[in-house]
Structures are given as C-alpha cells and as structure tokens.
Amino acid sequence: MIAKPFLSIEGITMRFSRGGATTEVLRDVDLTLTKGEYVSIIGHSGCGKSTLLNIVAGLTQATQGVVLLEDKVVDAPGPDRGVVFQNHSLLPWLTVYENVSLAVDKVFGRTKSAPERREWVMKNLELVHMGHAKDKRPSEISGGMKQRVGIARALAMEPKILLLDEPFGALDALTRAHLQDQVMQIQANLGTTVMMITHDVDEAVLLSDRIVMLTNGPSAGIGEILDVPLARPRDRIKLAADPTYLKCRQAVLKFLYERNRFVEAA
Ligand SMILES: Nc1ncnc2c1ncn2[C@@H]1O[C@H](COP(=O)(O)OP(=O)(O)OP(=O)(O)O)[C@@H](O)[C@H]1O
Ligand SMILES: [Mg+2]
C-alpha cells in the first residue's frame, strides 16, 4: 500500500530573470512526503536547494508547478510550515522568550488564553533546553543556542511540517551532534514531518528516512532517492560501524563525488 502524500511537490520549475538573461535553476521537480517522514535534500552548493525549500515555504513563487500541503495549494507563507533558516533569524531586540512568544501570539492569539500561551512558549523552550535563557537577548547566547531558539519558535507554531535549511550548518561538530540528537528526539515524540536541506552526508543518513539527491544546476532535478532503512531511535556511535549505515553513506558519496561532481560556475 502506498501511503497518502502529505506534502506534494509537482512539476516545479524555477527560472530567475534579470535584464534579458534567464537562468533555470530547477526543472521539473516531483516529490511527495508522507506524514511523519523525515526527508533530506542534498546537493552541491548553488544547485537550488534553498530555492526549493523557499517554494515549499511559500516565500518564492515557482515559475511552473504546484506545491500541495494536505491537498491545499501553497502560495504564501503560513503557520502550517515552520521554517528554520541556516542563519538563525531571531529578532535581536527581543529576548529569547519574546522571540518565541511573538510567533505563538500570532498563531494562537485567538485560541489560547494569555496564561496558556505563556506556558506554551516555556514548554517549547524547555523542549530544546533553553528555558533557563528565556530572558537573554540573541547577542548574549551562542550560535547553537540561537539555533535551538529558532527550532523552538518553529515548533511552537505547531506546524504541519518543519522546513529546515541547513539548520546545523554554522555550528561546531559537538554542538551539531547534540542538536541533531535533539531534533531526532523531538521528531520521534511529536511525529513531525520534516524536510531538511543539508550538504552533510553523515547528517543526511543519520536523520533521514529518505535522502533526495539533486543533480548539479542549472536546471537541477532529482537524480536519485535513497531509502535509509535504519531502525529508530538511532545512535550515532553504534551506527558508525553499521553495514547499512555505511552502505547508505557510500551511495550518497558516490552520487555527489563521482556522478555529480561539483563544478564551480564560471
Ligand atoms: N532571487 C534570486 N534571483 C536570481 N537568482 C537566484 C535567486 N535566488 C537564487 N538564485 C540562484 O539560484 C541558484 C540556486 O540558489 P540556491 O540558494 O537555491 O542554492 P543552494 O543549493 O541552496 O546553495 P547553498 O548550498 O550554497 O546554500 C544559484 O545559482 C543562485 O544564484
Ligand atoms: Mg542554500
């Protein structure tokens, strides 16, 4: 039985025009995600990963094609899609608490009372272990902490899907590992559907149910889709020597470095 698609990306083509010149970044991308699935998109720099995520987020309008979330057309940003950008996008003049409560008030302003909203903000900050820093401003916390607040803010909106654009990219290896584990745990507990952009092969294999590999641009498309049949919960230490893990890793490396080697655009 094929599970019903939750997110459906259908025939997405994206062209950017400037002056008389047009570049086709994505061509004919078709992809469906089922509910609760964790899907990573991997590909070389500049191939169009963020462009695809922005289209799903409703921040960019595709030239052709359509995105459906639970059968509804996506044509604008909305609280049903929680986006976490690579460069933490907290408002610097607000505290950690206020950054999250701004989003919570927007989404639940009419349905939850003020005390309920307060409790909800704190619950989501606790989820990423940031409750203790609620009164700090972004300039007073580390990059990893900012990223955790960004994730709390996205989760607090109770989105149908989390869209993560290289959420751990700017972090040191230890913080990255810690945060990846937290996201895996949150996803296991809440059953959130996730679409994550990355160019880290190990991260893709560790976190994903499926890995979508994009070909190099221009006119990038889906080259291959790899299933990652590893049981959850996943333990990074044990997996390091697991034959299935190593096979998946090898397949992605092969795709990226043999079949679709990175070529710097002129
Ligand atoms: N608004 C825009 N106008 C014109 N060109 C754009 C625009 N946004 C993106 N592009 C181009 O589209 C291509 C894909 O960009 P995109 O940001 O999606 O790449 P990416 O795969 O996310 O790269 P990276 O891994 O470096 O983040 C690039 O060549 C970029 O210059
Ligand atoms: Mg990008």
Side-chain angles (χ1 to χ4, degrees):
M1 193 190 89
I2 297 172
K4 194 170 167 279
F6 183 67
L7 175 76
S8 191
I9 298 171
E10 299 176 4
I12 290 290
T13 293
M14 185 72 210
R15 294 187 206 101
F16 290 108
S17 304
R18 186 190 286 165
T22 300
T23 347
E24 187 170 78
V25 174
L26 296 168
R27 180 185 292 173
D28 241 344
V29 176
D30 286 311
L31 178 68
T32 56
L33 269 68
T34 55
K35 199 168 178 4
E37 205 179 9
Y38 200 120
V39 172
S40 290
I41 315 275
I42 197 164
H44 289 295
S45 182
C47 74
K49 302 181 297 296
S50 295
T51 304
L52 184 61
L53 188 113
N54 288 339
I55 291 168
V56 176
L59 296 164
T60 303
Q61 195 68 45
T63 312
Q64 276 167 32
V66 66
V67 175
L68 301 168
L69 181 58
E70 283 197 316
D71 297 328
K72 275 217 286 290
V73 174
V74 167
D75 53 9
D80 53 353
R81 282 148 288 141
V83 188
V84 178
F85 296 98
Q86 175 172 13
N87 308 317
H88 15 79
S89 49
L90 303 180
L91 298 173
W93 58 89
L94 297 181
T95 63
V96 161
Y97 178 91
E98 288 164 345
N99 263 285
V100 178
S101 79
L102 192 69
V104 167
D105 290 349
K106 215 181 269 172
V107 179
F108 298 110
R110 291 198 191 145
T111 50
K112 285 188 200 289
S113 68
E116 277 169 347
R117 275 179 273 148
R118 258 201 302 279
E119 198 181 315
W120 182 240
V121 171
M122 285 316 295
K123 189 177 163 182
N124 280 279
L125 283 175
E126 299 296 351
L127 210 54
V128 295
H129 306 295
M130 281 301 291
H132 65 281
K134 70 180 180 53
D135 296 322
K136 294 217 155 85
R137 281 175 212 283
S139 61
E140 298 170 305
I141 58 176
S142 73
M145 292 164 94
K146 278 184 250 199
Q147 209 57 330
R148 269 145 67 189
V149 178
I151 292 169
R153 181 175 58 183
L155 286 172
M157 293 158 70
E158 278 198 327
K160 289 181 180 157
I161 185 165
L162 265 185
L163 304 173
L164 311 176
D165 192 353
E166 301 197 30
F168 317 115
L171 307 173
D172 67 90
L174 281 179
T175 312
R176 192 184 313 156
H178 180 62
L179 214 49
Q180 287 167 342
D181 289 342
Q182 270 177 351
V183 167
M184 273 199 282
Q185 208 169 38
I186 289 167
Q187 200 237 354
N189 293 343
L190 306 180
T192 320
T193 311
V194 184
M195 178 169 148
M196 178 181 81
I197 308 290
T198 181
H199 45 224
D200 182 324
V201 176
D202 284 296
E203 175 170 290
V205 178
L206 180 68
L207 296 173
S208 315
D209 297 311
R210 280 191 299 152
I211 302 174
V212 176
M213 296 174 247
L214 294 185
T215 58
N216 289 342
S219 304
I222 295 178
E224 238 176 78
I225 300 184
L226 180 78
D227 278 311
V228 183
L230 294 168
R232 294 182 188 269
R234 295 178 182 172
D235 177 330
R236 67 179 62 244
I237 313 274
K238 288 197 187 119
L239 283 179
D242 182 297
T244 308
Y245 179 88
L246 294 172
K247 221 167 99 189
C248 290
R249 193 173 183 277
Q250 180 85 358
V252 181
L253 286 171
K254 260 207 155 103
F255 179 88
L256 289 177
Y257 299 106
E258 279 179 16
R259 298 194 28 217
N260 276 278
R261 224 176 300 183
F262 180 58
V263 186
E264 190 69 66

